[in-house]
Amino acid sequence: MTRSGRLRQPASKTMQAAPVFADRMAASGLYMAAAGITISASMQTAGLLVALLAALLTPACWRWALRQPLLWLCVALAVFVALRAVSAANEFPDTAAAQHRAAMDWIRLLLFVPLAFWLIAPPERVTRLLVIAALGVVVGTAIAAVQYLQLPSHDSHRFGGMLQKPIVYAFYVSLVFIGAFIWLPEMSAWCRHYRGWKQVLLATALLSALSLLAWGFVASRSRTPLLPLVLVLPPLLVVRYARHWKGIGFVRGMLGLLLLLLAAASIVTSDAIGTRLQEVVTSLDAVGKVGLKAAEHDNVTLRLLMWQFGIENWLQRPWFGWGPGSIEMLQRTLGTLPALKDEPWDHLHNAYVQMLFCFGTLGTLLFGSVFAVLCAALAGRVAREVRQLRKPDTPVSDTLSIFLFGILISILVYSLTDFRHLNHDWRTFWLLAAAAVTGCAAGQPPRAAHAIEN
């Protein structure tokens, strides 16, 4: 990265050196993986393997990647994870297989830099990737909804999409909602390009898709994915629309805000999610009265016990942690963390506690530095656009950067109460998101601000 936070841009000769066939093959693989995030694990694997294979066989990709400081940071982090796993395996021989398996899962999260090469040009490729991912969420929801509603007792089960993972499915839906609100003016302008029945049909399809996702979100009965909608969406809306307020129009602005508030209120107050939110209040009240260890075990108190377990043991090894595959071993040895259905926990439902426990302060700082570089790279892209416009009062038009910032911050918020980062679907999501951020930051920003019409 340079001082402005931008990634090194590829020289035009380097980009032209990439074979057209490899470029199209890699792009197709990325689109396949994006479409399959909530549909099929095999689609995700096949898509990522195709894109990585194309990168491996393209010298231009490696010439670009080897010039990226971010790649070397990921390499250093991968070496640290591998060494920590080997050290933990030697210290706890019975956990050797678990240490090596967990280390490989962590290292796979760092393969996004070569994938980013295929998302730099053409510039609309990142947006296309995000749209395909959103369409995959909609299609997957529709297919799973038909199967779900045919179950005799579906009301007693949580809806989790085709992969049957309610929490992470609802998180993906929350990102689609955030994107819809961020790109609302562009979507409106797109609809206005059509006339008559085509415009009505397109608007109906968009509203139907969002309604279907809203139903899926509520049917998932998930609380964690509410956090991005509550904590991330409002500031993003301020950044996106504050300077455009006059252009939006007061009436339409108030109408949009009212619809947003009504949608949020309907989700939170629904019986499915409202009941689970009340469970949190009840559990925290019980913890306050009788203490954490004496309180009845439920989803809330078990999470609190996990965090307490992780922090207490991290403090015993604050710098390097216990190793990536040591949680189950230490839980059995100490017996301080209750098992779920007689099975030990393999993660601690908090990404920050998980990293501290496994890799200590040093490893957590290395992981955090990768995230910080991605955020700084997006900030550098926005700064370049401001310099191009050369007008301090001109609103930034880089909607893509705003949304990608929203994805990164949503990951940080989601990670407070859950840890699914080593699961197959989350790994695909993270690789695509990090590659999109890297490719977007290395490309050219928009050269003119979008005007939001009255």
Side-chain angles (χ1 to χ4, degrees), residues 89-336:
N90 291 331
E91 184 179 3
F92 310 110
D94 293 342
T95 70
Q99 303 288 354
H100 297 153
R101 182 173 59 252
M104 287 302 301
D105 289 339
W106 281 101
I107 292 173
R108 288 191 187 101
L109 296 176
L110 305 174
L111 298 176
F112 61 87
V113 176
L115 298 177
F117 177 78
W118 308 112
L119 296 176
I120 297 173
E124 67 273 8
R125 188 168 281 180
V126 174
T127 304
R128 195 179 302 155
L129 181 81
L130 297 174
V131 172
I132 290 174
L135 290 175
V137 175
V138 174
V139 172
T141 301
I143 297 174
V146 174
Q147 302 171 350
Y148 173 81
L149 294 175
Q150 290 177 348
L151 295 175
S153 58
H154 63 267
D155 290 337
S156 60
H157 293 82
R158 297 172 62 185
F159 180 74
M162 293 188 65
L163 300 180
Q164 299 181 2
K165 297 181 178 180
I167 298 177
V168 73
Y169 161 78
F171 173 73
Y172 297 146
V173 171
S174 71
L175 294 183
V176 175
F177 281 132
I178 291 174
F181 281 111
I182 295 298
W183 263 294
L184 188 59
E186 287 82 358
M187 293 170 62
S188 177
W190 182 40
C191 288
R192 289 198 298 270
H193 287 164
Y194 300 90
R195 292 291 181 270
W197 66 270
K198 292 183 179 179
Q199 186 181 66
V200 174
L201 182 62
L202 182 59
T204 302
L206 289 173
L207 291 175
S208 299
L210 292 176
S211 299
L212 175 65
L213 294 182
W215 170 85
F217 190 97
V218 173
S220 72
R221 305 176 192 173
S222 299
R223 297 167 297 203
T224 297
L226 282 173
L227 295 177
L229 292 177
V230 174
L231 301 179
V232 178
L233 181 56
L236 283 182
L237 292 178
V238 172
V239 172
R240 176 69 177 92
Y241 296 112
R243 294 186 179 183
H244 295 291
W245 188 253
K246 294 181 180 180
I248 295 175
F250 179 77
V251 175
R252 279 190 288 179
M254 292 302 296
L255 180 60
L257 181 61
L258 178 61
L259 291 176
L260 174 62
L261 292 175
L262 289 176
S266 63
I267 290 175
V268 173
T269 58
S270 64
D271 291 339
I273 295 181
T275 302
R276 287 180 58 80
L277 290 176
Q278 183 59 40
E279 292 175 0
V280 176
V281 177
T282 304
S283 298
L284 292 178
D285 182 62
V287 170
K289 291 180 179 178
V290 301
L292 179 58
K293 294 184 177 180
E296 182 180 356
H297 291 163
D298 57 23
N299 289 334
V300 177
T301 56
L302 283 174
R303 276 178 167 83
L304 294 176
L305 286 170
M306 291 180 204
W307 302 346
Q308 183 185 57
F309 170 87
I311 293 174
E312 288 177 351
N313 287 282
W314 160 63
L315 291 174
Q316 297 180 21
R317 299 187 176 193
W319 292 108
F320 297 101
W322 289 83
S326 300
I327 293 178
E328 293 185 25
M329 177 274 298
L330 204 61
Q331 178 185 346
R332 289 192 182 99
T333 302
L334 299 179
T336 57

Side-chain angles (χ1 to χ4, degrees), residues 343-423:
E343 292 292 333
W345 293 93
D346 58 350
H347 65 87
L348 299 176
H349 271 284
N350 183 301
Y352 309 104
V353 175
Q354 182 91 12
M355 285 188 289
L356 288 170
F357 177 91
C358 294
F359 303 111
T361 303
L362 183 58
T364 302
L365 289 176
L366 285 174
F367 277 105
S369 63
V370 172
F371 218 90
V373 168
L374 292 175
C375 291
L378 281 180
R381 174 184 165 100
V382 174
R384 295 202 304 276
E385 183 196 11
V386 172
R387 287 197 299 271
Q388 288 176 359
L389 296 173
R390 296 181 181 178
K391 294 180 180 179
D393 295 331
T394 302
V396 173
S397 64
D398 198 354
T399 310
L400 179 59
S401 292
I402 295 174
F403 178 58
L404 291 176
F405 262 124
I407 291 180
L408 293 179
I409 302 304
S410 296
I411 291 174
L412 293 178
V413 172
Y414 174 90
S415 299
L416 288 169
T417 59
D418 204 3
F419 180 81
R420 297 181 182 271
H421 301 54
L422 304 185
N423 288 14

Side-chain angles (χ1 to χ4, degrees), residues 61 64-66 68 70-72 74 110-118 431 434-435 438:
C61 175
W64 173 80
L66 291 173
Q68 307 304 317
L70 184 57
L71 174 67
W72 296 108
C74 290
L110 305 174
L111 298 176
F112 61 87
V113 176
L115 298 177
F117 177 78
W118 308 112
L431 289 175
T438 306

